[in-house]
Amino acid sequence: MVSLVQTDVSIWLALVHGLLSFFSPCVLPLIPGFIGIVLGGQKRYQRLAGFFAGFSVIFSILGGFSALIGAFLSKYGSIVEKIIGFGIIAFGVLYMFEVQLFKGKSANVWKFKNVGFLGGLILGGAIGFVWIPCSSPILASILLIAAQKNMARGILLLFIYSLGISVPFLTIGVAISKALTIGFGKPKWEMWIKYIGGVFMIILGVLIILGKMKV
C-alpha cells in the first residue's frame, strides 16, 4: 500500500510540473503561433497525432537519461535526496523570478503548417526543444525526481510531464491564445500562477529534505 501511494505521488508531481511548464511566463507568448501551426491548415488530425508523439518522445528520452544517471548515484541515496530537495527549492525560486537556465534558439516552425503525421512528429520534437529553455527550472526539478527512479519509471514520469503540457495546450490553449492576442500585456492570473508554482516547488523541496515526502 505504501509503495502504491508513493507511486501515485510521483505521477501527480510529474503532471503538476507539466501544467506549471505550460503556464511558464516565457512560454505563454508562444502559444498563439503554435496553436495556429498545429491546429490550422490541412491534415490537422494527422499532424496533431504526430505532434503528440514527437513532443512526448523528447521528454521521455530526457526522463530515461535522467534515471540512468540517477542509477549511478543510488548508493548515495540519503545524500542525493538532500541534493534533490535543495535543487528543487532553488529551481522554485528561479521559476518565480522567471530565470531561464538555458537560452532558447529561434526556429522556423511555420513550414510545418500543412504537413501530415511525419511532419507533425518533427514539429512536436521541435516544439519540445523550444519548450526546454523556457520551462528549464520546472523541467530540471522533475528530472531530479526522475533521477531517483529506474529508467522505465523515469521515461513514464517525463511522458506524464509532457501530457501536463500538451493536454492544456490542445484544450484551453485556443482560449489562452485569444486572450494573449488582445494586447493588454501580462494578465494578473499569470503572475499568480508563477508565484503559486514557485511556492509549491519550494515546499516540495523542503518536504523532501526533511524526509516527509518520498518521490
Side-chain angles (χ1 to χ4, degrees), residues 13 16-17 19-21 23-25 85-99 137-139 141 189-207:
L13 286 176
V16 171
H17 277 71
L19 291 170
L20 287 176
S21 289
F23 288 103
S24 293
F86 282 114
I88 291 176
I89 291 173
F91 293 137
V93 174
L94 292 176
Y95 177 65
M96 285 194 291
F97 287 96
E98 301 182 28
V99 177
I138 305 172
L139 176 58
S141 176
W189 57 262
E190 181 183 326
M191 179 188 69
W192 282 109
I193 287 176
K194 180 179 65 176
Y195 288 119
I196 292 172
V199 169
F200 161 78
M201 292 168 67
I202 291 171
I203 293 174
L204 174 62
V206 171
L207 290 175

Short mmCIF file of all heavy atoms in Angstrom, two decimals, residues 13 16-17 19-21 23-25 85-99 137-139 141 189-207:
data_model
loop_
_atom_site.label_atom_id
_atom_site.label_comp_id
_atom_site.label_asym_id
_atom_site.label_seq_id
_atom_site.Cartn_x
_atom_site.Cartn_y
_atom_site.Cartn_z
N LEU A 13 2.99 14.52 -9.21
CA LEU A 13 4.01 15.58 -9.24
C LEU A 13 4.45 15.86 -10.67
O LEU A 13 4.63 17.01 -11.07
CB LEU A 13 5.22 15.19 -8.39
CG LEU A 13 5.05 15.26 -6.88
CD1 LEU A 13 6.31 14.76 -6.18
CD2 LEU A 13 4.74 16.68 -6.43
N VAL A 16 1.65 17.86 -12.40
CA VAL A 16 1.63 19.25 -11.94
C VAL A 16 2.80 20.04 -12.52
O VAL A 16 2.64 21.19 -12.93
CB VAL A 16 1.65 19.31 -10.39
CG1 VAL A 16 1.85 20.74 -9.91
CG2 VAL A 16 0.34 18.76 -9.82
N HIS A 17 3.98 19.42 -12.56
CA HIS A 17 5.14 20.09 -13.16
C HIS A 17 4.88 20.41 -14.63
O HIS A 17 5.29 21.46 -15.12
CB HIS A 17 6.38 19.21 -13.03
CG HIS A 17 7.07 19.32 -11.70
ND1 HIS A 17 6.55 18.82 -10.54
CD2 HIS A 17 8.26 19.90 -11.36
CE1 HIS A 17 7.37 19.07 -9.54
NE2 HIS A 17 8.41 19.73 -10.00
N LEU A 19 1.92 21.00 -16.01
CA LEU A 19 0.98 22.12 -16.04
C LEU A 19 1.68 23.44 -15.75
O LEU A 19 1.42 24.46 -16.40
CB LEU A 19 -0.15 21.89 -15.02
CG LEU A 19 -1.12 20.74 -15.33
CD1 LEU A 19 -2.03 20.47 -14.15
CD2 LEU A 19 -1.94 21.06 -16.58
N LEU A 20 2.61 23.43 -14.79
CA LEU A 20 3.36 24.64 -14.48
C LEU A 20 4.21 25.08 -15.68
O LEU A 20 4.35 26.27 -15.96
CB LEU A 20 4.27 24.41 -13.27
CG LEU A 20 3.58 24.33 -11.89
CD1 LEU A 20 4.60 24.00 -10.81
CD2 LEU A 20 2.87 25.64 -11.56
N SER A 21 4.77 24.10 -16.38
CA SER A 21 5.58 24.42 -17.56
C SER A 21 4.74 25.07 -18.65
O SER A 21 5.19 25.99 -19.34
CB SER A 21 6.24 23.15 -18.12
OG SER A 21 7.25 22.69 -17.26
N PHE A 23 2.24 27.00 -18.23
CA PHE A 23 1.93 28.37 -17.84
C PHE A 23 3.17 29.21 -17.56
O PHE A 23 3.07 30.30 -16.99
CB PHE A 23 1.03 28.38 -16.60
CG PHE A 23 -0.38 27.95 -16.88
CD1 PHE A 23 -0.81 26.67 -16.53
CD2 PHE A 23 -1.27 28.79 -17.51
CE1 PHE A 23 -2.12 26.26 -16.79
CE2 PHE A 23 -2.57 28.40 -17.77
CZ PHE A 23 -2.99 27.13 -17.42
N SER A 24 4.35 28.72 -17.96
CA SER A 24 5.58 29.50 -17.76
C SER A 24 5.47 30.83 -18.51
O SER A 24 5.01 30.86 -19.67
CB SER A 24 6.79 28.73 -18.28
OG SER A 24 7.04 27.59 -17.49
N PRO A 25 5.87 31.92 -17.88
CA PRO A 25 5.73 33.25 -18.49
C PRO A 25 6.39 33.37 -19.87
O PRO A 25 5.90 34.10 -20.72
CB PRO A 25 6.41 34.17 -17.48
CG PRO A 25 6.26 33.47 -16.17
CD PRO A 25 6.37 32.01 -16.49
N GLY A 85 16.31 17.84 -2.91
CA GLY A 85 15.46 18.78 -2.19
C GLY A 85 15.93 20.21 -2.33
O GLY A 85 15.14 21.11 -2.67
N PHE A 86 17.23 20.45 -2.10
CA PHE A 86 17.77 21.80 -2.24
C PHE A 86 17.69 22.28 -3.69
O PHE A 86 17.45 23.46 -3.95
CB PHE A 86 19.23 21.84 -1.75
CG PHE A 86 19.35 21.88 -0.25
CD1 PHE A 86 19.92 20.81 0.43
CD2 PHE A 86 18.90 22.96 0.48
CE1 PHE A 86 20.04 20.83 1.81
CE2 PHE A 86 19.01 22.99 1.86
CZ PHE A 86 19.57 21.92 2.54
N GLY A 87 17.91 21.35 -4.62
CA GLY A 87 17.82 21.71 -6.04
C GLY A 87 16.43 22.17 -6.42
O GLY A 87 16.26 23.18 -7.12
N ILE A 88 15.40 21.45 -5.94
CA ILE A 88 14.02 21.82 -6.27
C ILE A 88 13.66 23.18 -5.66
O ILE A 88 12.97 23.99 -6.27
CB ILE A 88 13.05 20.72 -5.78
CG1 ILE A 88 13.25 19.46 -6.63
CG2 ILE A 88 11.59 21.18 -5.88
CD1 ILE A 88 12.42 18.26 -6.17
N ILE A 89 14.16 23.44 -4.44
CA ILE A 89 13.94 24.76 -3.82
C ILE A 89 14.55 25.86 -4.68
O ILE A 89 13.92 26.89 -4.95
CB ILE A 89 14.55 24.80 -2.40
CG1 ILE A 89 13.76 23.89 -1.46
CG2 ILE A 89 14.55 26.24 -1.86
CD1 ILE A 89 14.38 23.72 -0.09
N ALA A 90 15.79 25.64 -5.13
CA ALA A 90 16.47 26.64 -5.97
C ALA A 90 15.72 26.87 -7.26
O ALA A 90 15.53 28.01 -7.71
CB ALA A 90 17.90 26.18 -6.26
N PHE A 91 15.23 25.78 -7.88
CA PHE A 91 14.51 25.90 -9.14
C PHE A 91 13.17 26.61 -8.93
O PHE A 91 12.68 27.31 -9.82
CB PHE A 91 14.29 24.53 -9.78
CG PHE A 91 15.58 23.89 -10.23
CD1 PHE A 91 15.82 22.54 -9.99
CD2 PHE A 91 16.55 24.63 -10.88
CE1 PHE A 91 17.00 21.95 -10.40
CE2 PHE A 91 17.74 24.05 -11.29
CZ PHE A 91 17.97 22.70 -11.05
N GLY A 92 12.55 26.42 -7.76
CA GLY A 92 11.31 27.13 -7.44
C GLY A 92 11.53 28.63 -7.40
O GLY A 92 10.71 29.40 -7.91
N VAL A 93 12.65 29.04 -6.78
CA VAL A 93 12.98 30.47 -6.72
C VAL A 93 13.25 31.02 -8.12
O VAL A 93 12.79 32.11 -8.49
CB VAL A 93 14.21 30.70 -5.81
CG1 VAL A 93 14.65 32.16 -5.86
CG2 VAL A 93 13.89 30.29 -4.37
N LEU A 94 14.00 30.25 -8.92
CA LEU A 94 14.30 30.69 -10.29
C LEU A 94 13.02 30.83 -11.11
O LEU A 94 12.89 31.76 -11.92
CB LEU A 94 15.23 29.67 -10.96
CG LEU A 94 16.66 29.58 -10.41
CD1 LEU A 94 17.43 28.48 -11.11
CD2 LEU A 94 17.39 30.91 -10.55
N TYR A 95 12.08 29.92 -10.89
CA TYR A 95 10.81 29.98 -11.62
C TYR A 95 10.03 31.25 -11.28
O TYR A 95 9.48 31.91 -12.16
CB TYR A 95 9.98 28.73 -11.30
CG TYR A 95 8.61 28.73 -11.96
CD1 TYR A 95 8.48 28.69 -13.33
CD2 TYR A 95 7.45 28.76 -11.19
CE1 TYR A 95 7.23 28.69 -13.94
CE2 TYR A 95 6.19 28.75 -11.78
CZ TYR A 95 6.10 28.72 -13.15
OH TYR A 95 4.86 28.72 -13.74
N MET A 96 10.00 31.60 -10.00
CA MET A 96 9.27 32.80 -9.58
C MET A 96 9.86 34.07 -10.18
O MET A 96 9.15 35.01 -10.50
CB MET A 96 9.25 32.90 -8.05
CG MET A 96 8.28 31.93 -7.39
SD MET A 96 7.96 32.31 -5.65
CE MET A 96 9.54 31.92 -4.92
N PHE A 97 11.19 34.07 -10.36
CA PHE A 97 11.85 35.25 -10.91
C PHE A 97 12.07 35.14 -12.42
O PHE A 97 12.79 35.94 -13.01
CB PHE A 97 13.20 35.48 -10.21
CG PHE A 97 13.06 36.00 -8.80
CD1 PHE A 97 13.08 35.13 -7.73
CD2 PHE A 97 12.85 37.35 -8.57
CE1 PHE A 97 12.94 35.60 -6.43
CE2 PHE A 97 12.70 37.83 -7.28
CZ PHE A 97 12.74 36.96 -6.20
N GLU A 98 11.43 34.12 -13.04
CA GLU A 98 11.46 33.93 -14.49
C GLU A 98 12.88 33.81 -15.04
O GLU A 98 13.22 34.37 -16.08
CB GLU A 98 10.72 35.07 -15.21
CG GLU A 98 9.27 35.21 -14.80
CD GLU A 98 8.55 36.30 -15.56
OE1 GLU A 98 8.96 36.60 -16.71
OE2 GLU A 98 7.60 36.88 -15.02
N VAL A 99 13.72 33.08 -14.31
CA VAL A 99 15.11 32.88 -14.74
C VAL A 99 15.19 31.61 -15.58
O VAL A 99 14.76 30.54 -15.16
CB VAL A 99 16.05 32.75 -13.52
CG1 VAL A 99 17.48 32.45 -13.98
CG2 VAL A 99 16.01 34.03 -12.69
N PRO A 137 13.65 25.66 -15.21
CA PRO A 137 13.65 25.39 -13.76
C PRO A 137 12.68 24.28 -13.37
O PRO A 137 12.99 23.42 -12.55
CB PRO A 137 13.23 26.73 -13.15
CG PRO A 137 13.58 27.75 -14.17
CD PRO A 137 13.33 27.07 -15.48
N ILE A 138 11.48 24.27 -13.98
CA ILE A 138 10.48 23.25 -13.66
C ILE A 138 10.92 21.89 -14.22
O ILE A 138 10.81 20.87 -13.55
CB ILE A 138 9.11 23.62 -14.25
CG1 ILE A 138 8.71 25.01 -13.77
CG2 ILE A 138 8.07 22.61 -13.84
CD1 ILE A 138 7.47 25.53 -14.44
N LEU A 139 11.41 21.90 -15.44
CA LEU A 139 11.88 20.66 -16.06
C LEU A 139 13.03 20.06 -15.26
O LEU A 139 13.07 18.85 -15.02
CB LEU A 139 12.33 20.94 -17.50
CG LEU A 139 12.93 19.76 -18.27
CD1 LEU A 139 11.94 18.60 -18.33
CD2 LEU A 139 13.35 20.19 -19.66
N SER A 141 13.57 20.39 -12.16
CA SER A 141 13.01 19.88 -10.91
C SER A 141 12.45 18.48 -11.09
O SER A 141 12.73 17.57 -10.30
CB SER A 141 11.93 20.84 -10.41
OG SER A 141 11.30 20.34 -9.26
N TRP A 189 -3.51 36.72 -13.64
CA TRP A 189 -3.50 35.31 -13.26
C TRP A 189 -2.17 34.65 -13.59
O TRP A 189 -1.75 33.71 -12.93
CB TRP A 189 -4.66 34.56 -13.92
CG TRP A 189 -4.71 34.61 -15.42
CD1 TRP A 189 -5.46 35.42 -16.19
CD2 TRP A 189 -3.97 33.78 -16.34
NE1 TRP A 189 -5.25 35.19 -17.52
CE2 TRP A 189 -4.33 34.17 -17.64
CE3 TRP A 189 -3.04 32.75 -16.19
CZ2 TRP A 189 -3.80 33.58 -18.77
CZ3 TRP A 189 -2.50 32.16 -17.33
CH2 TRP A 189 -2.89 32.57 -18.60
N GLU A 190 -1.49 35.16 -14.63
CA GLU A 190 -0.20 34.61 -14.98
C GLU A 190 0.81 34.85 -13.86
O GLU A 190 1.61 33.96 -13.52
CB GLU A 190 0.31 35.25 -16.28
CG GLU A 190 1.64 34.71 -16.75
CD GLU A 190 2.13 35.42 -17.99
OE1 GLU A 190 1.29 35.81 -18.82
OE2 GLU A 190 3.36 35.59 -18.11
N MET A 191 0.76 36.04 -13.24
CA MET A 191 1.65 36.35 -12.14
C MET A 191 1.38 35.44 -10.94
O MET A 191 2.30 34.92 -10.31
CB MET A 191 1.48 37.81 -11.73
CG MET A 191 2.35 38.23 -10.55
SD MET A 191 1.93 39.89 -9.96
CE MET A 191 0.30 39.59 -9.23
N TRP A 192 0.09 35.21 -10.64
CA TRP A 192 -0.27 34.37 -9.51
C TRP A 192 0.17 32.93 -9.72
O TRP A 192 0.62 32.25 -8.79
CB TRP A 192 -1.77 34.45 -9.24
CG TRP A 192 -2.17 35.70 -8.53
CD1 TRP A 192 -2.87 36.76 -9.02
CD2 TRP A 192 -1.86 36.05 -7.17
NE1 TRP A 192 -3.02 37.75 -8.08
CE2 TRP A 192 -2.41 37.34 -6.92
CE3 TRP A 192 -1.17 35.41 -6.14
CZ2 TRP A 192 -2.30 37.98 -5.69
CZ3 TRP A 192 -1.06 36.05 -4.91
CH2 TRP A 192 -1.62 37.31 -4.70
N ILE A 193 0.01 32.42 -10.94
CA ILE A 193 0.44 31.06 -11.25
C ILE A 193 1.95 30.93 -11.04
O ILE A 193 2.44 29.94 -10.51
CB ILE A 193 0.06 30.67 -12.69
CG1 ILE A 193 -1.45 30.45 -12.78
CG2 ILE A 193 0.81 29.42 -13.14
CD1 ILE A 193 -1.95 30.17 -14.16
N LYS A 194 2.68 31.97 -11.43
CA LYS A 194 4.14 31.96 -11.28
C LYS A 194 4.53 31.83 -9.80
O LYS A 194 5.38 31.01 -9.44
CB LYS A 194 4.72 33.23 -11.88
CG LYS A 194 6.23 33.34 -11.78
CD LYS A 194 6.71 34.63 -12.41
CE LYS A 194 6.20 35.85 -11.66
NZ LYS A 194 6.74 37.11 -12.20
N TYR A 195 3.91 32.62 -8.95
CA TYR A 195 4.25 32.60 -7.53
C TYR A 195 3.73 31.35 -6.82
O TYR A 195 4.43 30.75 -5.99
CB TYR A 195 3.72 33.85 -6.83
CG TYR A 195 4.50 35.09 -7.21
CD1 TYR A 195 3.88 36.16 -7.84
CD2 TYR A 195 5.87 35.18 -6.95
CE1 TYR A 195 4.61 37.29 -8.21
CE2 TYR A 195 6.60 36.30 -7.31
CZ TYR A 195 5.96 37.35 -7.94
OH TYR A 195 6.69 38.46 -8.31
N ILE A 196 2.51 30.94 -7.16
CA ILE A 196 1.96 29.72 -6.55
C ILE A 196 2.82 28.51 -6.95
O ILE A 196 3.13 27.65 -6.11
CB ILE A 196 0.50 29.51 -6.98
CG1 ILE A 196 -0.38 30.60 -6.35
CG2 ILE A 196 0.00 28.14 -6.57
CD1 ILE A 196 -1.81 30.61 -6.85
N GLY A 197 3.20 28.46 -8.23
CA GLY A 197 4.04 27.35 -8.69
C GLY A 197 5.40 27.35 -8.01
O GLY A 197 5.90 26.29 -7.61
N GLY A 198 6.00 28.52 -7.86
CA GLY A 198 7.30 28.61 -7.19
C GLY A 198 7.22 28.18 -5.75
O GLY A 198 8.08 27.43 -5.26
N VAL A 199 6.18 28.62 -5.03
CA VAL A 199 5.99 28.23 -3.62
C VAL A 199 5.76 26.72 -3.52
O VAL A 199 6.29 26.06 -2.61
CB VAL A 199 4.80 29.00 -3.00
CG1 VAL A 199 4.44 28.42 -1.64
CG2 VAL A 199 5.15 30.47 -2.87
N PHE A 200 4.99 26.16 -4.45
CA PHE A 200 4.75 24.72 -4.48
C PHE A 200 6.07 23.96 -4.57
O PHE A 200 6.31 22.99 -3.84
CB PHE A 200 3.84 24.36 -5.66
CG PHE A 200 3.87 22.91 -6.05
CD1 PHE A 200 3.19 21.97 -5.31
CD2 PHE A 200 4.61 22.50 -7.16
CE1 PHE A 200 3.23 20.62 -5.66
CE2 PHE A 200 4.65 21.17 -7.53
CZ PHE A 200 3.96 20.22 -6.78
N MET A 201 6.95 24.38 -5.46
CA MET A 201 8.23 23.70 -5.64
C MET A 201 9.11 23.84 -4.40
O MET A 201 9.80 22.90 -4.00
CB MET A 201 8.94 24.26 -6.88
CG MET A 201 8.23 23.90 -8.19
SD MET A 201 8.85 24.82 -9.63
CE MET A 201 10.50 24.16 -9.76
N ILE A 202 9.09 25.02 -3.78
CA ILE A 202 9.90 25.24 -2.57
C ILE A 202 9.41 24.34 -1.43
O ILE A 202 10.22 23.70 -0.74
CB ILE A 202 9.85 26.73 -2.15
CG1 ILE A 202 10.59 27.58 -3.18
CG2 ILE A 202 10.44 26.92 -0.75
CD1 ILE A 202 10.42 29.07 -2.99
N ILE A 203 8.10 24.27 -1.25
CA ILE A 203 7.54 23.40 -0.20
C ILE A 203 7.88 21.95 -0.47
O ILE A 203 8.25 21.18 0.44
CB ILE A 203 6.02 23.59 -0.10
CG1 ILE A 203 5.69 25.00 0.42
CG2 ILE A 203 5.39 22.53 0.81
CD1 ILE A 203 4.22 25.33 0.42
N LEU A 204 7.79 21.54 -1.73
CA LEU A 204 8.14 20.17 -2.12
C LEU A 204 9.58 19.87 -1.77
O LEU A 204 9.90 18.81 -1.20
CB LEU A 204 7.91 19.99 -3.63
CG LEU A 204 8.36 18.65 -4.23
CD1 LEU A 204 7.60 17.49 -3.60
CD2 LEU A 204 8.15 18.66 -5.75
N GLY A 205 10.49 20.80 -2.08
CA GLY A 205 11.90 20.61 -1.77
C GLY A 205 12.14 20.49 -0.27
O GLY A 205 12.93 19.63 0.18
N VAL A 206 11.48 21.32 0.52
CA VAL A 206 11.63 21.26 1.98
C VAL A 206 11.14 19.92 2.53
O VAL A 206 11.80 19.31 3.39
CB VAL A 206 10.85 22.42 2.65
CG1 VAL A 206 10.81 22.24 4.16
CG2 VAL A 206 11.48 23.76 2.29
N LEU A 207 10.01 19.45 2.03
CA LEU A 207 9.46 18.17 2.49
C LEU A 207 10.41 17.01 2.16
O LEU A 207 10.58 16.08 2.96
CB LEU A 207 8.10 17.91 1.85
CG LEU A 207 6.96 18.82 2.33
CD1 LEU A 207 5.68 18.54 1.53
CD2 LEU A 207 6.69 18.60 3.82
#
